[in-house]
Amino acid sequence: MKHLKVADLMTDEVVSVAPGTAFKDVAKLLAQYDVSGVPVLDDEDRVMGVVSQTDLLAHTVSGSHSAGQSSTAAGPPCAGGVMSAPAVTVHAEETAADAARLMTRRSIERLPVVDVEDRLVGIVTRRDLLRVFLRPDSEIRRRVTDDVLTDVLGVPAGDVDVHVVDGIVTLDGQVERRSQLPALLSLVERLDGVVAVASRVTARTDDTATHADHARHAMPW
């Protein structure tokens, strides 16, 4: 089964800055490109951190309390001094669902995308990930019937009815073995574009007890 990868959704033209980029220049870039943050790269294009609007505002507020003390002594602020580090990044080959969970867990709007050597290759945003959930219901239904039921579980056509409305999948019917039920639910829930799953599928035979008895008798006591 195929899942959308971060590489399928990311933007590969990324606005980035160097650690020495002046504070004001970073602010101008955010406004010019209408983005909420930019990655800070070292000389080898590795992500050192991220400067967001929140970082800039936090520095502005803290700087107003220390009126000119640090700016005259240490020079004007730059990206390396105000960035959030270490950066939260995602690899291009990770799934869109994994990226969405990471964004939610860390409460961030965008993720720098890196390759196997942790060099910047793109950026993915919440808006990009929302495209996953715009998948047509007909496409979701096709993937449930063809990919999950037929290809993975080997369920004969017509044994399980699949209905999809606004990304909500309803399953009704029978499979051969009870051990297939949790796999069916898990696989459908993980499909790109699925919002929720309601399953009324039952099994013709209960093979779970047989497996348990076999394992118990096979244990060396």
Side-chain angles (χ1 to χ4, degrees):
M1 293 176 58
K2 296 180 179 179
H3 295 276
L4 278 178
K5 302 289 183 66
V6 170
D8 300 322
L9 299 171
M10 72 180 189
T11 300
D12 54 12
E13 295 182 2
V14 186
V15 181
S16 62
V17 298
T21 303
F23 180 97
K24 289 185 177 180
D25 290 335
V26 176
K28 288 178 182 177
L29 286 172
L30 295 184
Q32 179 182 347
Y33 291 95
D34 191 26
V35 294
S36 61
V38 290
V40 182
L41 308 183
D42 64 14
D43 293 337
E44 296 183 346
D45 289 338
R46 290 190 173 90
V47 183
M48 301 172 58
V50 173
V51 178
S52 66
Q53 294 171 336
T54 302
D55 295 321
L56 295 182
L57 290 173
H59 181 82
T60 301
V61 172
S62 63
S64 65
H65 293 303
S66 57
Q69 292 180 3
S70 60
S71 60
T72 54
C78 58
V82 300
M83 68 182 183
S84 295
V88 180
T89 62
V90 64
H91 284 88
E93 292 306 306
E94 292 188 52
T95 66
D98 288 337
R101 282 190 285 268
L102 180 58
M103 279 188 182
T104 301
R105 189 166 65 247
R106 302 299 292 269
S107 299
I108 51 182
E109 296 292 328
R110 55 184 50 231
L111 284 170
V113 184
V114 297
D115 61 15
V116 293
E117 295 181 344
D118 289 330
R119 290 187 172 89
L120 184 72
V121 295
I123 200 155
V124 66
T125 67
R126 284 181 182 267
R127 185 180 302 172
D128 296 327
L129 295 174
L130 282 175
R131 287 161 46 195
V132 173
F133 295 97
L134 298 179
R135 175 163 290 190
D137 290 340
S138 58
E139 171 64 11
I140 295 174
R141 184 181 184 281
R142 186 196 65 77
R143 293 202 62 193
V144 173
T145 56
D146 294 353
D147 295 355
V148 176
L149 290 170
T150 302
D151 293 348
V152 177
L153 297 178
V155 176
D159 280 14
V160 175
D161 293 326
V162 180
H163 300 280
V164 185
V165 179
D166 295 333
I168 300 175
V169 180
T170 302
L171 305 172
D172 201 342
Q174 278 192 327
V175 294
E176 187 61 35
R177 302 182 305 278
R178 185 174 180 181
S179 60
Q180 293 175 297
L181 296 177
L184 171 61
L185 187 62
S186 175
L187 290 170
V188 174
E189 286 177 337
R190 287 161 47 193
L191 283 176
D192 297 321
V194 171
V195 176
V197 181
S199 178
R200 295 189 289 267
V201 179
T202 59
R204 296 185 182 89
T205 59
D206 184 358
D207 60 335
T208 56
T210 302
H211 289 160
D213 291 341
H214 176 76
R216 184 166 58 252
H217 291 310
M219 288 289 290
W221 298 101

